[in-house]
Amino acid sequence: MLSGLGVGPGDERVYRALLAAPGSTPAELAAATGLTEARVRRHAASLAGLGLLTGAEGEAGDAGDVGPVNTEDEAGAAGDARLTPAPPDVALEVLALRRQEEIAHARLAAAGLAEEFRAGRLRGGSSPVQLLRGREAIAQQFFQTQQMAKSEILILDKPPYVVEPLRRQDTVQRERLDKGLRYRAIYDQAGLDGPGRVEATRDLAARGEESRVLADVPLKLVVADRKVALVPFVLPSEEEILVLQQSALLDGLIALFDLLWQRATPLWPAGPVAHDTLSPDDELLLAHLRAGLTDSAIARRLGVAQRTVERRMSRIMAVLGVRTRFQAGVRTTALYGHEDCGRPGSGLPPLPGLTER
């Protein structure tokens, strides 16, 4: 449990035994932990160095010193020393602060090394564009880029999905969302046509992803902190990707994402249900419509009859106080906080699937 603070398993084992019986001798701790007395004394020396042991006292009350011992005979010479643990609430907090300071120094060093690398690359005339080959290397770069991001990930998502682990991507994204990283994703309609894909986006939206859908996303793209981007070089095979560092080319791709974001339709509300009389099932039906699925396709996805989908859509329109699906689309996108989408004269198309009937 304490390995993150630099406390090894053996040290922790002895420390826990000592917390349960303060003032124990090394011999008593050896009996309690199943370790040899020599190992107990070595762990005690380590604990003292970490500040988790205040020292050792002899039978006569004289202060002793806990030092490393290499043989059982040497251990016997101080076998009557009684060990006192430092209070864990104070000692462990000191260790945590020490570790944070070490991490801060490491980050400063990493920033310095990165600056040296950039300067060396500029002196050598290196390009801010790197070509990366091989699926394993690409997958590693893809997940590492997300793990290293500090503020925001931008994603253009479209099929085909050749770099296999969609499940692993969802796992990594959930972990980063739970830690407060912002994700904005634009999904291609065709990419949401597979079984469970719309439901998967609902789970990510519940964790904080801001997701939108567009009829024809032009390319795949992942941008981390607006500083590095991954772009497949050959989309059908995805055997090669471009890794782009800060450059005019990267700025152009970010500008493209921002334009597409304005044109795209919100897939899920950014928070609780957008309308207090729309159920989660209603939200799911509307999301399938935004993904461009027909009534018959939605019925297959939901495992219901097409007439059921049509009745539910009629009820949703009644709840929203509208007469057509087009009006329902305009109304719900306004509720989702993207009022321009589908508004006449805005230059943006109405929601896919929400057309006049």
Side-chain angles (χ1 to χ4, degrees), residues 234-254:
V234 181
L235 187 58
S237 67
E238 219 170 57
E239 291 286 349
E240 299 177 328
I241 65 168
L242 299 178
V243 183
L244 307 179
Q245 305 296 331
Q246 288 180 296
S247 59
L249 178 57
L250 176 58
D251 293 342
L253 288 173
I254 293 173

Side-chain angles (χ1 to χ4, degrees), residues 5 58 80 89 95 125 296 302 338:
L5 298 177
D80 58 353
D89 53 344
L95 281 181
S296 59
L302 301 181
H338 193 52

Side-chain angles (χ1 to χ4, degrees), residues 21 59 70 78 87 108 221 256 280 317 324:
E59 287 289 323
N70 294 321
L108 287 174
L221 176 69
L256 172 64
M317 290 190 294
T324 67

Side-chain angles (χ1 to χ4, degrees), residues 67-272:
V69 178
N70 294 321
T71 68
E72 296 290 343
D73 292 338
E74 289 172 306
D80 58 353
R82 296 192 176 275
L83 307 178
T84 304
D89 53 344
V90 176
L92 294 178
E93 179 64 21
V94 170
L95 281 181
L97 291 173
R98 187 185 303 171
R99 186 53 58 92
Q100 289 177 2
E101 184 177 355
E102 292 172 355
I103 292 172
H105 285 308
R107 283 177 172 167
L108 287 174
L113 291 173
E115 188 59 37
E116 291 178 19
F117 173 73
R118 282 192 292 270
R121 189 177 63 189
L122 289 175
R123 286 195 299 270
S126 297
S127 169
V129 181
Q130 174 191 359
L131 180 61
L132 190 63
R133 293 186 174 93
R135 292 191 182 183
E136 290 187 9
I138 290 172
Q140 182 179 358
Q141 180 72 51
F142 179 61
F143 296 119
Q144 185 180 35
T145 298
Q146 294 179 78
Q147 295 285 7
M148 297 297 292
K150 296 179 180 179
S151 59
E152 183 183 47
I153 293 286
L154 309 177
I155 296 176
L156 294 180
D157 180 286
K158 69 174 299 178
Y161 302 107
V162 182
V163 174
E164 195 251 306
L166 273 178
R167 290 184 180 178
R168 184 182 171 195
Q169 158 60 13
D170 288 347
T171 299
V172 171
Q173 187 170 342
R174 290 188 189 100
E175 291 173 354
R176 301 298 284 139
L177 283 167
D178 290 344
K179 291 183 179 180
L181 186 68
R182 185 187 187 192
Y183 273 80
R184 289 196 290 152
I186 303 175
Y187 293 94
D188 188 273
Q189 281 185 13
L192 296 176
D193 193 31
R197 288 288 289 154
V198 172
E199 289 81 356
T201 65
R202 176 167 62 176
D203 177 65
L204 293 173
R207 293 173 181 267
E209 181 189 76
E210 301 167 50
S211 53
R212 297 188 176 185
V213 62
L214 196 63
D216 188 15
V217 173
L219 75 162
K220 288 188 177 184
L221 176 69
V222 176
V223 181
D225 294 339
R226 296 180 176 253
K227 294 180 179 179
V228 60
L230 309 180
V231 187
F233 187 59
V234 181
L235 187 58
S237 67
E238 219 170 57
E239 291 286 349
E240 299 177 328
I241 65 168
L242 299 178
V243 183
L244 307 179
Q245 305 296 331
Q246 288 180 296
S247 59
L249 178 57
L250 176 58
D251 293 342
L253 288 173
I254 293 173
L256 172 64
F257 179 92
D258 290 337
L259 288 172
L260 295 176
W261 183 258
Q262 292 301 317
R263 291 186 57 85
T265 301
L267 192 57
W268 298 100

